Amino acid sequence: MAKGLLVTYVLWVIGGPAGLHHLYLGRDSHALLWMLTLGGGGLGWLWEFWKLPSFVAQANRAQEWKQSPREGIPPLSPIRFTAQMIVGIYFGLMALISLSSMANFYIVGLPLAVGLGVLLVAAVGNQTSDFKNTLGVAFLTSPIFYGRPIAILPISLAASITAQKHRRYKASVESETLSVRLYRLGLAYLAFTGPLAYSALCNTAATLSYVAETLGSFLSWFSFFPLLGHLMESVLLLPYRIWCLLVGDPGFNSSYFQEWEKLYEFVHSFQDEKRQLAYQVLGLSEGATNEEIHRSYRELVKVWHPDHNQHQTEEAQRHFLEIQAAYEVLSQHRKPRASRSTGA
């Protein structure tokens, strides 16, 4: 049965961020992507306004493709590659918030989450990619920056490159009933939101700390580029600005804005507490110079190195890890300041 453009636009308006129009057009992967990202943060949903006619035409040609499947390799798409990178990072960040306490997370959970995010974008529309190769590369890349949130970046990049390399058109399959499609989408949606909901409801305090640490780590990736860092901070406030466009500016007394501002301030306060604790671990006062930080780090590492403390190995190992973590926190915090002073 032919799909109608008017119906598609109506569904786009009513439930676009939830992917209703994609579900109507048989684009289940795209529908799931919109369900998990709320229409690509709203931006993807708005951008689709101009793409809906081509989506409808593609859906109406699907019957012809089932009779004679398309051959060849789809054209390389920089937009799809960028979307794979972004969604892979997004899936990785969500996994950090909800699953980072699990054993072997950085070897199993993180690459699996990032790889599935990349594959979800790769399967949008009439294209797909190789499941085994993409996930395999994600797992092989996981030891890079092991144990640090920045590991998400090389995993997402490698998986996205592999997915693009193995891109192909989808094979013809028999049409499925709506109930079967909804059942599959529901399972996928629960697999993504279930761990997040459990963490938020059953371990709220730890989840807030994970959220703050994850967002703080995400912002620290841009420490070398202050302008880009400020841009990413602005993106965090994007939901509030979209809300203002839709309902008008409710003012600073809006409960929505207050809650969002609390989270934003919590991230920064959490990072401030981490820096204060780092100064304490290194035995320094706030405002210590880079030379003082580096000197204290080297001295403490020599004192608490496990090889030099065979009689108290566990305590030495704990102090040694604390010292390394503290030095890393202060190093990330001081890099932009150091680069600016050098430039001056």
Side-chain angles (χ1 to χ4, degrees):
M1 182 173 144
K3 304 299 182 181
L5 182 59
L6 179 60
V7 176
T8 303
Y9 270 110
V10 171
L11 292 175
W12 175 82
V13 172
I14 295 175
L20 284 183
H21 56 300
H22 289 304
L23 186 63
Y24 167 70
L25 296 175
R27 301 166 60 90
D28 290 359
S29 296
H30 211 159
L32 178 60
L33 178 62
W34 258 213
M35 290 166 62
L36 299 180
T37 63
L38 290 179
L43 297 178
W45 169 59
L46 294 174
W47 179 75
E48 280 186 334
F49 180 83
W50 314 105
K51 302 287 293 182
L52 290 183
S54 63
F55 289 165
V56 173
Q58 188 180 97
N60 288 329
R61 288 196 301 266
Q63 191 62 35
E64 300 177 10
W65 295 345
K66 289 178 182 178
Q67 296 173 356
S68 54
R70 298 187 66 175
E71 299 179 354
I73 300 176
L76 183 65
S77 171
I79 295 178
R80 186 181 291 262
F81 176 78
T82 303
Q84 288 172 345
M85 279 285 299
I86 293 174
V87 175
I89 292 172
Y90 169 69
F91 271 50
L93 291 174
M94 294 302 101
L96 275 172
I97 292 172
S98 59
L99 300 173
S100 58
S101 59
M102 66 178 285
N104 301 318
F105 168 76
Y106 284 93
I107 292 294
V108 179
L110 186 62
L112 179 62
V114 174
L116 290 177
V118 170
L119 284 168
L120 178 59
V121 178
V124 165
N126 61 347
Q127 298 184 28
T128 188
S129 189
D130 187 86
F131 184 85
K132 292 182 179 179
N133 281 311
T134 303
L135 283 185
V137 167
F139 281 108
L140 290 174
T141 315
S142 61
I144 301 178
F145 299 117
Y146 174 80
R148 298 171 58 187
I150 199 174
I152 295 173
L153 291 179
I155 297 174
S156 183
L157 177 61
S160 298
I161 293 174
T162 304
Q164 284 290 310
K165 180 180 179 181
H166 295 278
R167 67 189 184 278
R168 64 176 186 270
Y169 288 109
K170 290 179 179 177
S172 59
V173 294
E174 294 293 330
S175 298
E176 295 179 328
T177 62
L178 180 60
S179 60
V180 172
R181 294 167 54 203
L182 290 175
Y183 175 74
R184 185 180 292 115
L185 286 174
L187 289 179
Y189 184 79
L190 287 175
F192 183 89
T193 59
L196 286 172
Y198 176 82
S199 297
L201 296 176
C202 300
N203 201 4
T204 306
T207 301
L208 286 174
S209 296
Y210 288 144
V211 170
E213 188 168 4
T214 300
L215 291 179
S217 299
F218 177 72
L219 291 175
S220 70
W221 296 347
F222 304 95
S223 58
F224 287 108
F225 308 98
L227 291 178
L228 189 57
H230 291 313
L231 176 62
M232 296 312 300
E233 289 182 6
S234 299
V235 170
L236 289 175
L237 296 175
L238 186 60
Y240 169 70
R241 290 172 180 149
I242 293 176
W243 178 263
C244 288
L245 288 175
L246 295 176
V247 302
D249 188 358
F252 284 89
N253 291 325
S254 167
S255 59
Y256 178 86
F257 178 79
Q258 289 176 349
E259 292 302 318
W260 194 259
E261 190 180 45
K262 286 178 184 177
L263 175 60
Y264 187 73
E265 291 177 350
F266 179 73
V267 171
H268 285 275
S269 65
F270 186 84
Q271 296 302 309
D272 290 339
E273 290 179 6
K274 284 179 63 177
R275 284 191 290 270
Q276 292 174 5
L277 181 60
Y279 281 118
Q280 294 176 11
V281 170
L282 295 182
L284 298 170
S285 59
E286 293 189 37
T289 64
N290 288 338
E291 292 182 0
E292 291 173 336
I293 294 173
H294 189 61
R295 183 170 59 250
S296 177
Y297 167 72
R298 286 186 300 177
E299 293 175 354
L300 290 173
V301 162
K302 291 179 182 178
V303 171
W304 289 105
H305 197 286
D307 293 343
H308 303 158
N309 295 270
Q310 298 292 340
H311 58 290
Q312 48 180 356
T313 305
E314 292 185 3
E315 184 179 357
Q317 181 73 14
R318 179 174 60 83
H319 283 291
F320 186 74
L321 293 176
E322 288 179 353
I323 293 165
Q324 285 187 318
Y327 181 71
E328 182 178 339
V329 168
L330 294 180
S331 297
Q332 289 179 349
H333 175 55
R334 306 288 290 220
K335 281 175 184 175
R337 185 179 301 176
S339 63
R340 287 195 295 270
S341 62
T342 302

